Amino acid sequence: MPEVWARLEDVSIRYGPKVVMQNLSLDIVDGAITCIIGLSGAGKSTILRLLNGLKRPDAGRVFVRGQEISTLRERDLISIRQTIGFSFQFAALFDSLTIGENVALPLREHTKMSGEEIDKLVSETLESVGLGNVESRYPSELSGGMVKRAGFARAVISNPQCVLYDEPTTGLDPIITHILTNTIKKLRDRLNGTAVVVSHDLGSIYMMADYVAMLFEGAIIAYGTVDELRRSPNPIVQQFLQGSEVGPIPI
Amino acid sequence: MSALEDVGRDTATFLEYAGGVANLIGESATFIGRLRIRVNETFSQAYLLGVNSWTIVLLTSLFTGMVFSLESAVQAVQYGIGNLVGGVVAFTTARELGPMLTAVVVAGRAGAAIAAEFGSMVVTEQIEALQSLGLSPIRMLVVPRLVALIVMLPILTVFGDIISVLGGMLVANIYANISYDSFLASVRSTLPFGDVVRGLVKSLVFAVIIVAIGSYQGLNTRGGAAGVGKATTGAVVTSIILIFIFNFALSYILFRQNA
């Protein structure tokens, strides 16, 4: 049995009258890349927010490395969050800071490293995601793909145990998508940690996923390796993978 | 039944809002008490929120002092009490108009800027990004603005008080032939220094209101661009209403003996 990094146990979430999750349970395997797929608005990004305490479940429990985080106070979540990197869908870099300052921020705030050490590590981390000499530029001066990679760099600079990626390749051309997918794999190998990726991009998922979970109507309806998912007899899974309009998924 | 439900819902909303603002002020005070203040950011905010507001404070204070003098000087001279005009202008400015008007114009400028900036950061997930890095948005964003405005609003108020009195003095001289010496002598004899200080105590409270309301509205923005606009408008309107209410309460508490 592979070791579990995080566990969602009977989690329910509703936004107003809309039920987003209903008794959802999911294990995130330690050291693996787990991809979460599902229709738009199915609650995939909410799963990422549950895993680092940005969102609390209305019912159910969330465990990270065996510790229940769903009941922790905000101040107690800080130490947990320092072990989890989060790459946001639109990178969420701070507009008023340069790329270098953005990437350095967690180190400046949480470590006693000297300015020179931080600058060196920032350069190395940006190089590792394929960005050189952009430290002094502002997010608004970079392309979408470069901003996403800068977001990756900020997420991984503290050597987190796990990195959460929210739609890392959405809206990017196939070449940049390929590069970013490889970057996620390289970063996982470099950190020797866990990654959870929310994506619609099946090509990327087939390239990088160790495990895939499909979310549909508030529950995980399929879970397994890429091959297992492809062979799934579930007509909902098959319709989603084939991108077909015809099938049990209501359009 | 539905009216009762409405009242209940509105009461719950009000209590949630008031509790949220009180919580934000409490958390900020805790960070300030522990001296967990980002010094460079605080200086930067003092410049943006305070120094950059000087022209708007100058103009509003100048014309308020001038119109006050315009309305009172001629009649005062007719009644033979022209030598009191300076005192009346200074007294009213230092105790009421100066702190309140300065706070209102700063709420319109700085309060709106805070709400819009934080609202945009919510919409673009930058606030969540801060939290995901294990950083508190209160410490990183609210505390520097709060400390900056607590320092800068009293300074702007003193500046506004002086400009208002000078404007009143100019108009009293031109319009009612009250000499500068007579005007200033009236100011000195009528305005106790303690009243100026108590006026500045008001400014401290108004600074907390402006930053707390702007921050709370901004950090609780829902929706996209429309949500940011709503948060910004809400911040300005709520701050100004609270400034008027607290001005009355503070005048009652601070100046009760004199009254």
Side-chain angles (χ1 to χ4, degrees), chain A residues 49 81 94-95 109-110, chain B residues 125-126 128 131 133 139:
Chain A
R49 282 163 173 74
R81 286 179 182 151
F94 306 113
D95 307 324
E109 293 295 329
H110 294 308
Chain B
E125 298 178 323
Q126 290 177 51
E128 282 194 328
Q131 291 172 309
L133 294 170
R139 185 175 87 77

Side-chain angles (χ1 to χ4, degrees), chain A residues 26-110:
Chain A
L26 174 67
D27 284 350
I28 303 295
V29 174
D30 196 15
I33 297 180
T34 301
C35 292
I36 299 169
I37 59 174
L39 299 175
S40 299
K44 304 183 295 297
S45 299
T46 303
I47 290 181
L48 298 186
R49 282 163 173 74
L50 285 165
L51 290 171
N52 77 345
L54 283 174
K55 177 84 186 159
R56 289 171 197 273
D58 296 325
R61 302 194 292 175
V62 181
F63 297 88
V64 171
R65 286 226 176 267
Q67 182 183 7
E68 185 176 357
I69 66 162
S70 37
T71 53
L72 289 180
R73 290 176 305 177
E74 194 64 24
R75 75 179 71 150
D76 299 322
L77 280 168
I78 288 174
S79 58
I80 303 280
R81 286 179 182 151
Q82 286 176 40
T83 65
I84 304 170
F86 199 128
S87 168
F88 286 83
Q89 185 175 355
F90 301 105
L93 298 177
F94 306 113
D95 307 324
S96 56
L97 303 181
T98 63
I99 297 297
E101 289 167 339
N102 262 288
V103 177
L105 188 63
L107 299 180
R108 290 200 197 286
E109 293 295 329
H110 294 308

Side-chain angles (χ1 to χ4, degrees), chain B residues 22-44:
Chain B
N23 193 40
L24 185 141
I25 294 171
E27 268 193 62
S28 303
T30 307
F31 282 120
I32 294 169
R34 288 190 207 146
L35 296 178
R36 297 201 64 199
I37 300 168
R38 299 170 69 219
V39 177
N40 289 344
E41 178 67 6
T42 303
F43 276 109
S44 166

